Amino acid sequence: MNPITHLLEIDRLQTVFWNGREEVAAIEDVSFSLRAGETIGIVGESGCGKSVTSLSIMRLLGQNGRIRRGEIRFNSRNLVAESEKELRSLRGKEIAMIFQEPMTSLNPVLTIGHQLVEMIRCHTSLSRREAKAYAMEMLKKVGLPQAKDLMSVYPHTLSGGMRQRIMIAMALSCKPRLLIADEPTTALDVTIQAQILELMKSLRKESGAAIMLITHDLGVVAEMADRVVVMYAGQIVEEADVFTLFREPKHPYTQGLMASIPRVQGENERLRAIPGTVPSIRKMPKGCRFHTRCEWAAERCRQEQPQLESVGGEHQVRCWIVQEQASPLPVSANFQHQEAGV
Ligand SMILES: Nc1ncnc2c1ncn2[C@@H]1O[C@H](COP(=O)(O)OP(=O)(O)OP(=O)(O)O)[C@@H](O)[C@H]1O
Ligand SMILES: [Mg+2]
């Protein structure tokens, strides 16, 4: 068997923010990895730490944020230890990110054309004229046929959806090895959304890029992802390949997310069927972080925190109830079936 080489390995990452009085952890013990050409979907309700995970990889945590523990290995380099200069040369070229809020990453005082051309020239050897032609080609690819006119306008004159597509054009134009897409299509209508997903697929196919796709839309995950990470309250609670996750979600939280998929086709609703809310990072419950909303919660769940553990192959779950069911082996027919399939 070939050794598995990972493009990205995140190992027990903890990212904290200073709130004026103390540092609070927004994500804790987050570990997962990604191979070249692979797409990982990251799902979870609002505030679970999806964006903080991606901003940690880019080391764009702002003044009050820092990585307190863990490693982020990209191509065997530990990004946590790299200098800001080294990171600047990686960002955009090797690792590109489509941000959840596109306005924050477009410069308001420069035209769209200027920003696109600079970005392309910074990471390729194209001449200004070639970079301009390429920029217009990319704008057309993201569903902006009026590319020529767009080159001379400023970001604030555009709608949120257009700005998002420009960001996507920028991110894809440098053919990154890792594309981090944070809710890339949420603000877009379904036709444009489908076009963008196709573009991401061709990036993956043509250049073998890995994609980290953060989304609330489980339909998009099913279509795009090879593997899925489910986050709850700053931690990974389940990870599995996409088929296993949809067929046999084990964590009660994942099961809740699955149950909340809108039944009406085309309805693009946010997930909200699980009663209760995600706990605040300032006041995490003792024991399992999900126990306050879990209908199966037992005494142990209220007292001790479960770890993320394999329940067969690469399927991992952070839940006492699931782990106790799975041990000692063999238990249920379900589990034996899954073991045999690995
Ligand atoms: N700059 C910051 N300063 C302080 N706390 C922050 C900061 N950024 C994020 N947080 C906190 O970290 C936690 C995780 O936030 P994050 O933005 O990663 O959630 P998310 O899963 O991306 O949610 P959404 O689906 O709404 O985008 C939240 O409690 C949030 O308030
Ligand atoms: Mg977010």
Side-chain angles (χ1 to χ4, degrees):
M1 214 166 75
N2 289 333
I4 302 163
T5 46
H6 289 113
L7 180 67
L8 177 75
E9 284 175 290
I10 300 186
D11 190 15
R12 279 167 289 175
L13 194 67
Q14 186 190 52
T15 298
V16 295
F17 289 100
W18 174 254
N19 69 5
R21 266 179 300 129
E22 55 181 343
E23 277 188 332
V24 284
I27 57 167
E28 202 156 315
D29 194 25
V30 168
S31 304
F32 64 89
S33 39
L34 193 51
R35 298 174 195 124
E38 192 176 37
T39 300
I40 199 160
I42 306 213
V43 298
E45 287 163 296
S46 196
C48 282
K50 306 181 298 295
S51 294
V52 170
T53 302
S54 54
L55 293 169
S56 302
I57 299 170
M58 298 291 275
R59 288 255 311 268
L60 292 173
L61 292 163
Q63 292 273 318
N64 63 333
R66 73 178 178 103
I67 294 169
R68 183 153 70 187
R69 219 175 290 150
E71 283 191 8
I72 300 169
R73 287 184 293 275
F74 176 74
N75 232 352
S76 307
R77 288 161 73 174
N78 181 10
L79 300 189
V80 178
E82 292 287 359
S83 68
E84 182 53 36
K85 191 167 164 240
E86 295 279 353
L87 284 167
R88 264 202 299 271
S89 70
L90 278 177
R91 287 187 207 121
K93 174 66 188 153
E94 302 247 340
I95 309 178
M97 180 158 175
I98 301 168
F99 291 87
Q100 192 167 7
E101 178 32 73
M103 203 52 195
T104 52
S105 44
L106 286 171
N107 188 332
V109 300
L110 299 175
T111 63
I112 298 299
H114 186 113
Q115 296 187 57
L116 266 170
V117 168
E118 284 309 308
M119 164 88 181
I120 293 165
R121 292 203 68 206
C122 191
H123 297 298
T124 66
S125 52
L126 295 184
S127 69
R128 187 164 294 279
R129 180 195 291 260
E130 287 166 335
K132 200 172 164 195
Y134 183 45
M136 288 201 279
E137 186 189 316
M138 285 310 294
L139 289 176
K140 286 181 191 149
K141 279 194 177 172
V142 292
L144 297 169
Q146 65 287 43
K148 196 154 183 261
D149 302 333
L150 277 177
M151 296 289 278
S152 56
V153 306
Y154 290 89
H156 70 270
T157 61
L158 303 172
S159 70
M162 282 173 108
R163 286 200 292 258
Q164 185 67 326
R165 279 183 273 170
I166 287 160
M167 277 303 304
I168 293 166
M170 267 189 179
L172 298 179
S173 63
C174 291
K175 299 198 169 56
R177 300 179 69 180
L178 171 64
L179 174 69
I180 302 175
D182 193 350
E183 300 277 2
T185 57
T186 308
L188 307 176
D189 72 53
V190 274
T191 330
I192 302 294
Q193 174 170 335
Q195 274 179 33
I196 302 295
L197 296 181
E198 284 309 314
L199 267 177
M200 297 206 315
K201 282 183 193 166
S202 54
L203 172 83
R204 183 171 63 185
K205 200 166 152 216
E206 284 164 20
S207 62
I211 301 176
M212 193 173 136
L213 177 64
I214 298 173
T215 177
H216 281 83
D217 189 336
L218 289 170
V220 170
V221 170
E223 185 183 336
M224 298 289 294
D226 301 302
R227 278 185 306 126
V228 188
V229 158
V230 181
M231 289 192 74
Y232 183 75
Q235 294 181 324
I236 294 177
V237 295
E238 185 157 8
E239 184 189 333
D241 69 80
V242 69
F243 301 108
T244 305
L245 195 93
F246 277 83
R247 201 181 52 217
E248 273 183 275
K250 288 204 181 275
H251 197 287
Y253 180 62
T254 316
Q255 292 176 351
L257 288 184
M258 296 289 175
S260 70
I261 298 175
R263 294 279 168 259
V264 187
Q265 241 198 347
E267 198 180 325
N268 195 5
E269 236 181 70
R270 294 220 140 196
L271 305 170
R272 55 178 144 85
I274 307 166
T277 50
V278 181
S280 154
I281 56 173
R282 274 174 288 112
K283 208 169 178 294
M284 283 298 169
K286 194 177 165 202
C288 169
R289 293 184 174 183
F290 187 61
H291 88 255
T292 52
R293 299 170 75 187
C294 180
E295 58 177 308
W296 307 107
E299 192 47 31
R300 189 175 190 186
C301 310
R302 287 183 265 275
Q303 300 301 333
E304 284 176 63
Q305 190 167 154
Q307 300 300 309
L308 192 64
E309 280 185 11
S310 171
V311 291
E314 291 189 351
H315 190 177
Q316 300 192 79
V317 183
R318 188 190 288 273
C319 170
W320 287 126
I321 305 292
V322 173
Q323 287 167 9
E324 282 168 6
Q325 262 177 12
S327 157
L329 291 172
V331 259
S332 72
N334 241 351
F335 187 69
Q336 287 169 24
H337 164 78
Q338 191 195 325
E339 280 276 288
V342 172

